[in-house]
Amino acid sequence: MNMNKPDLHTKIRLSVIAFTGSKEIREKVIHKLESYNGTWTENILRKMTYDREWDVALAAIMALSGGTSDKTLRRLKKLTTEYDEVTRAKAYISLLHVVMNRNRCVEKEKALKWIRRKYRQEDKEYVKFYLAAELYNYGFSEYFTEVQKLIDKNLKPENLKKTDHTWTMIYVLEQMENKENADKIKAELLKIEPYMNLVQKYYVEKEWV
């Protein structure tokens, strides 16, 4: 975050074009807001989660991960009930980040317990992949096994025909990788490799040299 506060003119300008500019401009506003901190940025970003363009709203949800306010937590929790699975997944992730930003021990414990319960209740594989990866990264090592189970399940031909989660598998493994689990991550990638297209193979080769 940029600790330098923007001047009043900048605040007013961003507040206006966040809702009146073109889609491209609105996306640039979100990127710009991420370089500042403060209640005013969260206020704008929360309103932008209602944007008429799905990807703009999604970008605002992800940008709220830098927030700390009660209002932001409530808005993100509401978004975890959306029908759209991508929206739900990103809202869960941002909500957890906000809780961590607030750094309140009891709140963090409750949030992680809540996310674990939501993981068990979730019926969409896309959301489960991201929740499992987040929980693993927050110290719940057993969720590596959960990710492995999800990969095995979704590589079955009958499931691949329904929904191809190959990109999702690649992204969550990338997020989970560290020095200690590098060999285990590589083993999972080798399982996925036969199902990757050329673009995915290039991405993996570039990221996992």
Side-chain angles (χ1 to χ4, degrees):
M1 288 286 187
N2 185 347
M3 297 307 292
N4 296 318
K5 294 182 179 180
D7 57 32
L8 182 59
H9 173 76
T10 300
K11 284 187 176 182
I12 293 173
R13 179 173 175 274
L14 291 173
S15 298
V16 172
I17 63 176
F19 308 104
T20 61
S22 65
K23 178 184 175 183
E24 182 181 14
I25 292 296
R26 300 198 306 279
E27 289 173 333
K28 288 181 178 179
V29 167
I30 292 171
H31 180 69
K32 185 69 175 177
L33 289 171
E34 288 182 286
S35 68
Y36 297 111
N37 60 359
T39 304
W40 73 279
T41 62
E42 288 187 59
N43 289 342
I44 296 172
L45 288 169
R46 279 198 307 273
K47 292 176 183 176
M48 294 187 79
T49 64
Y50 295 94
D51 196 279
R52 60 188 177 276
E53 295 288 346
W54 175 83
D55 43 355
V56 175
L58 194 67
I61 291 169
M62 292 188 286
L64 280 171
S65 64
T68 58
S69 74
D70 290 341
K71 287 183 178 179
T72 294
L73 270 183
R74 287 196 294 270
R75 176 59 183 152
L76 290 170
K77 190 169 184 179
K78 174 68 174 175
L79 287 163
T80 65
T81 65
E82 287 288 306
Y83 175 79
D84 179 70
E85 59 195 83
V86 179
T87 298
R88 286 208 312 283
K90 302 307 180 184
Y92 278 124
I93 293 169
S94 285
L95 183 149
L96 266 179
H97 289 186
V98 171
V99 170
M100 298 302 160
N101 295 342
R102 288 155 67 95
N103 199 26
R104 300 172 185 175
C105 292
V106 174
E107 188 176 62
K108 287 193 286 187
E109 185 179 334
K110 286 182 177 179
L112 288 167
K113 185 177 181 180
W114 179 72
I115 291 291
R116 295 180 80 179
R117 186 172 73 250
K118 290 297 181 181
Y119 174 82
R120 293 192 297 270
Q121 296 171 348
E122 181 59 53
D123 61 354
K124 294 295 184 182
E125 301 292 280
Y126 179 90
V127 182
K128 290 181 78 72
F129 266 114
Y130 279 97
L131 289 183
E134 283 292 306
L135 287 165
Y136 174 79
N137 287 335
Y138 281 115
F140 296 95
S141 58
E142 65 270 28
Y143 282 88
F144 195 101
T145 302
E146 290 298 314
V147 171
Q148 289 176 311
K149 290 177 181 177
L150 287 168
I151 289 172
D152 291 342
K153 177 183 176 182
N154 284 279
L155 286 180
K156 291 180 179 179
E158 63 270 23
N159 291 327
L160 275 172
K161 287 179 181 178
K162 294 177 184 177
T163 308
D164 188 343
H165 286 292
T166 309
W167 270 122
T168 304
M169 298 175 196
I170 292 169
Y171 289 147
V172 297
L173 288 172
E174 181 181 9
Q175 291 173 15
M176 294 165 64
E177 186 189 30
N178 57 49
K179 291 180 180 179
E180 288 72 30
N181 68 14
D183 289 341
K184 292 169 68 178
I185 293 288
K186 185 176 181 180
E188 294 306 307
L189 286 170
L190 288 174
K191 288 196 300 190
I192 302 167
E193 187 176 15
Y195 305 94
M196 294 181 191
N197 59 38
L198 291 176
V199 175
Q200 290 165 339
K201 288 180 180 179
Y202 175 80
Y203 181 84
V204 170
E205 288 168 4
K206 182 179 178 181
E207 293 296 325
W208 281 282
V209 177

